[in-house]
Amino acid sequence: MPPTTGSGRAEITRDEVRHLADLARIDLDDAELDHLAPQLSVILDSVASIAEVAADEIPPTSHAITLTNVFRDDVVVPSLTAEEALRGAPAQEQQRFEVPRILGDEQ
Amino acid sequence: MITRTAADLADALAAGETTSVDLTRAHLDRIAEVDGGIHAFLHVDEEGALAQAAESDARRAAGEPASPLDGVPIAVKDVLATRGLPTTCGSKILEGWIPPYDATVIERLRAAGLPILGKTNMDEFAMGSSTEHSAYGPTHNPWDPERIPGGSGGGSAAAVAAFEAPLALGTDTGGSIRQPGAVTGTVGVKPTYGGISRYGLVAMANSLDQVGPVTRSVLDSALLHEVIGGHDPRDSTSIDQPLPGLVDAARRGASGDLTGVRIGVVKELSGEGYQAGVQQRFDEAVQLLVGAGAEVVEVSCPHFVHALAAYYLIMPIEASSNLARFDAMRYGLRVAPAGIDDPSAEQVMRATREAGFGDEVKRRIIIGTYALSSGYYDAYYGQAQKVRTLISRDFEAAFAQVDVLASPTSPTTAFKIGEKLDDPLAMYLNDVATIPANLAGVPGISVPAGLAPEDGLPVGLQFLAPALADDRVYRVGAAAEALLEKQWGAPLLDRLPEVATK
């Protein structure tokens, strides 16, 4: 489904918001969905006009200032110690980040 | 002493009239006195600032100052990583996080001897124009505590306006330095993209974000810009060439002579949506520039009307990707979902991001995710990037005719806290005049233009220059400041109402 443009409204449904939040790994409860979904429709409606502005031959710009690949010499420089790197970790074990299980029972 | 400019304070330190410890203590006292009502700071580092001040005094006593600003204290927006000091980005998801490293700009502040007073409040992850989206409560405008100080860097601007700090660092993705400057009667500069290192700046939209100075005078911004600017090999987008002479440009501009300077007034950045008193003060300032010898013409940048739409696609698209790093695994908040035994990493991540992110961050992540979805990518991101090209071309055409462009910085003066909090679109419109510079990567400055007659609140005057010509915004900004202050008889902040002490 292409975005609606011009006079049509770019609607985003409650289910779509739930799906997008799921893709973005954010739990949203019903109250949040009720609150955010209409606001997101208004925002999308306001940016929908973008589709009509630029002709096909206009090249896209990802960065305003032209980027070139940057290399550095392969030399060792001081870096964080393991203790420093782990200091902000929610949990750690044996000098490693301790994380919740990453596989389900069926896996 | 605390009402003086940073340049004056640096002179006083050099002349031995004061010490950095006294100066730093005076600002810490001021923070203790007024910040209960302003809430510019999220964290104050009294002990660290005084220790750095003592070291500065020792350097000055030995005749070896590290820089012209050695010993002048500074406040830092809480989006910049500071080793040993909390860095929250105004978000619950980073509450209590203490970075193990300094951002490059912080390293440079430390090397130049500027004591760091603390970290300033901001909209969560720099998303907003009012500082109301901070998870730690809003900052209040020193001109009227019922009003917003702008955003996202409202804390830095309010701290400088309320004389809690002579200098501050901000970041500007769509106007987050310049718009707070405008509504608090202070000076703010967004440098050329790549002119100041982003290493250690927590990214919102990395193709748009820039660090820059927040001060009470144009010269102070130039002095600070020269401390923090220049090439950094740790930022792959950093420009590998020397900065133009910014302090020299500001001093030259302060003569008030603009003979031969061509200034373009952007037709599209006026009219509907611009408050009458904002437009009036802008027009009056332009007349002063004409009187100083500038050649002023109207220029058209026809695609600027699409800048807001392009920005509010590109920014959330980049933000949704950048904020994926807050996954509850390596640092920051970790929340266990309710009612699930032995939750998976993904369930923990979802619960953490729900609890740790505020509404505006969720809105932008969802919009960005939507616009990047299969089937929408070309229509949204592809088109927005093309509009970005058209806006850069508008700038190129305009700068073929004139040296700098001028507009009001923000279409209105400071609005009431709460007024636009649940109306994202109304909030976004505050950035309409500042966004084009971010999309094109060009430098911009906001200087105070006076108080709007209808509400007595500060109005900002914006100048924009071609990429790498940051010296031009300093020259013309300093000239406008000198001409206006001559007319007023004093800096605008002399008219700041007394800030309540709590």
Side-chain angles (χ1 to χ4, degrees):
Chain A
M1 181 186 74
T4 318
T5 58
S7 54
R9 287 184 56 83
E11 284 290 344
I12 182 165
T13 64
R14 206 166 173 282
D15 284 346
E16 277 182 292
V17 173
R18 190 195 302 276
H19 174 64
L20 291 164
D22 192 52
L23 290 175
R25 305 290 185 267
I26 301 174
D27 280 341
L28 289 182
D29 60 29
D30 286 344
E32 281 185 297
L33 280 171
D34 289 340
H35 183 64
L36 292 176
Q39 294 177 340
L40 295 174
S41 286
V42 172
I43 295 169
L44 279 177
D45 201 42
S46 74
V47 298
S49 63
I50 202 86
E52 295 158 3
V53 180
D56 287 346
E57 71 271 17
I58 305 294
T61 299
S62 68
H63 276 73
I65 309 292
T66 308
L67 296 181
T68 51
N69 210 352
V70 180
F71 296 95
R72 64 167 173 80
D73 293 334
D74 188 16
V75 292
V76 176
V77 294
S79 61
L80 298 180
T81 63
E83 289 71 27
E84 286 171 325
L86 286 163
R87 196 171 294 150
Q92 53 175 295
E93 192 183 320
Q94 296 174 18
Q95 233 186 43
R96 290 168 175 81
F97 295 103
E98 187 187 347
V99 301
R101 65 180 174 81
I102 55 167
L103 297 177
D105 295 337
E106 70 280 11
Q107 287 154 311
Chain B
M1 187 160 64
I2 57 171
T3 60
R4 295 165 67 178
T5 64
D8 277 356
L9 295 173
D11 288 346
L13 286 167
E17 290 162 18
T18 186
T19 64
S20 180
V21 167
D22 282 352
L23 205 53
T24 302
R25 169 63 65 197
H27 284 98
L28 290 167
D29 289 348
R30 175 72 173 173
I31 293 168
E33 195 183 9
V34 302
D35 207 52
I38 301 289
H39 194 227
F41 283 87
L42 292 177
H43 181 79
V44 177
D45 184 24
E46 178 168 337
E47 196 181 324
L50 288 170
Q52 292 155 40
E55 288 171 22
S56 169
D57 287 335
R59 281 191 298 273
R60 293 254 184 208
E64 291 168 350
S67 75
L69 290 175
D70 195 346
V72 180
I74 188 166
V76 173
K77 188 177 181 183
D78 207 28
V79 72
L80 292 160
T82 44
R83 188 185 176 97
L85 283 184
T87 299
T88 68
C89 300
S91 180
K92 288 286 180 202
I93 212 161
L94 279 177
E95 189 166 18
W97 182 58
I98 298 180
Y101 70 105
D102 274 331
T104 295
V105 291
I106 302 300
E107 271 184 2
R108 290 184 181 179
L109 291 182
R110 295 194 200 276
L114 285 79
I116 295 172
L117 294 166
K119 306 296 291 289
T120 58
N121 199 12
M122 54 185 285
D123 286 296
E124 186 174 1
F125 289 108
M127 298 183 187
S129 308
S130 70
T131 314
E132 293 168 285
H133 295 307
S134 168
Y136 303 99
T139 297
H140 301 263
N141 192 322
W143 289 85
D144 175 354
E146 290 186 5
R147 291 177 187 268
I148 59 101
S152 67
S156 284
V160 167
F163 306 108
E164 296 176 76
L167 299 168
L169 288 186
T171 61
D172 191 312
T173 304
S176 288
I177 289 175
R178 290 164 288 158
Q179 181 256 3
V183 301
T184 59
T186 57
V187 175
V189 177
K190 184 205 91 74
T192 296
Y193 182 82
I196 296 185
S197 171
R198 289 183 300 107
Y199 178 79
L201 158 61
V202 180
M204 167 168 63
N206 43 279
S207 82
L208 303 163
D209 299 338
Q210 258 308 272
V211 182
V214 175
T215 66
R216 289 191 294 267
S217 82
V218 175
L219 177 61
D220 285 0
S221 276
L223 286 161
L224 181 54
H225 192 154
E226 288 196 357
V227 167
I228 58 175
H231 182 240
D232 177 15
R234 290 181 296 188
D235 173 359
S236 65
T237 59
S238 175
I239 295 167
D240 191 3
Q241 43 180 288
L243 292 174
L246 307 175
V247 172
D248 286 349
R251 291 194 197 281
R252 184 174 175 209
S255 70
D257 179 19
L258 288 172
T259 306
V261 175
R262 297 167 303 167
I263 299 175
V265 173
V266 183
K267 187 178 143 202
E268 286 76 12
L269 301 181
S270 67
E272 195 190 340
Y274 287 78
Q275 189 180 321
V278 168
Q279 192 66 48
Q280 182 188 332
R281 291 296 179 239
F282 173 74
D283 293 341
E284 290 166 2
V286 168
Q287 283 314 304
L288 270 184
L289 302 175
V290 171
E295 185 190 317
V296 176
V297 296
E298 186 181 81
V299 298
S300 177
C301 295
H303 297 96
F304 279 20
V305 296
H306 304 294
L308 201 70
Y311 177 81
Y312 277 98
L313 285 164
I314 291 169
M315 175 271 298
I317 282 167
E318 293 188 14
S320 69
S321 302
N322 281 317
L323 270 62
R325 65 172 56 95
F326 298 101
D327 57 6
M329 298 299 133
R330 294 152 301 157
Y331 48 79
L333 189 69
R334 178 180 289 180
V335 172
I340 301 178
D341 289 336
D342 189 23
S344 69
E346 197 179 302
Q347 288 168 324
V348 169
M349 185 175 172
R350 289 170 196 281
T352 301
R353 287 160 67 84
E354 180 186 23
F357 288 146
D359 277 358
E360 182 62 13
V361 175
K362 288 173 182 163
R363 280 193 284 263
R364 294 195 192 187
I365 289 175
I366 291 169
I367 292 283
T369 305
Y370 175 81
L372 285 174
S373 305
S374 174
Y376 296 94
Y377 183 94
D378 286 338
Y380 285 126
Y381 191 40
Q383 283 298 116
Q385 288 186 310
K386 288 181 180 182
V387 171
R388 199 168 179 180
T389 304
L390 294 172
I391 285 163
S392 293
R393 288 181 182 175
D394 280 358
F395 272 114
E396 280 166 33
F399 288 131
Q401 301 171 58
V402 297
D403 301 307
V404 297
L405 295 173
S407 77
T409 308
S410 174
T412 68
T413 56
F415 48 91
K416 291 257 173 70
I417 288 175
E419 197 180 314
K420 300 182 183 180
L421 191 56
D422 243 357
D423 185 352
L425 212 55
M427 190 71 90
Y428 296 173
L429 284 168
N430 293 296
D431 303 331
V432 70
T434 43
I435 278 170
N438 299 82
L439 289 171
V442 305
I445 193 171
S446 179
V447 296
L451 304 179
E454 62 268 49
D455 55 21
L457 291 166
V459 173
L461 170 61
Q462 175 178 245
F463 296 107
L464 306 170
L468 304 174
D470 300 54
D471 52 330
R472 290 191 202 170
V473 301
Y474 283 105
R475 181 178 172 200
V476 179
E481 176 186 61
L483 295 163
L484 285 160
E485 288 187 0
K486 190 174 165 199
Q487 194 176 61
W488 301 331
L492 191 68
L493 279 166
D494 272 24
R495 286 186 257 167
L496 182 75
E498 196 168 330
V499 179
T501 58
K502 295 192 187 176

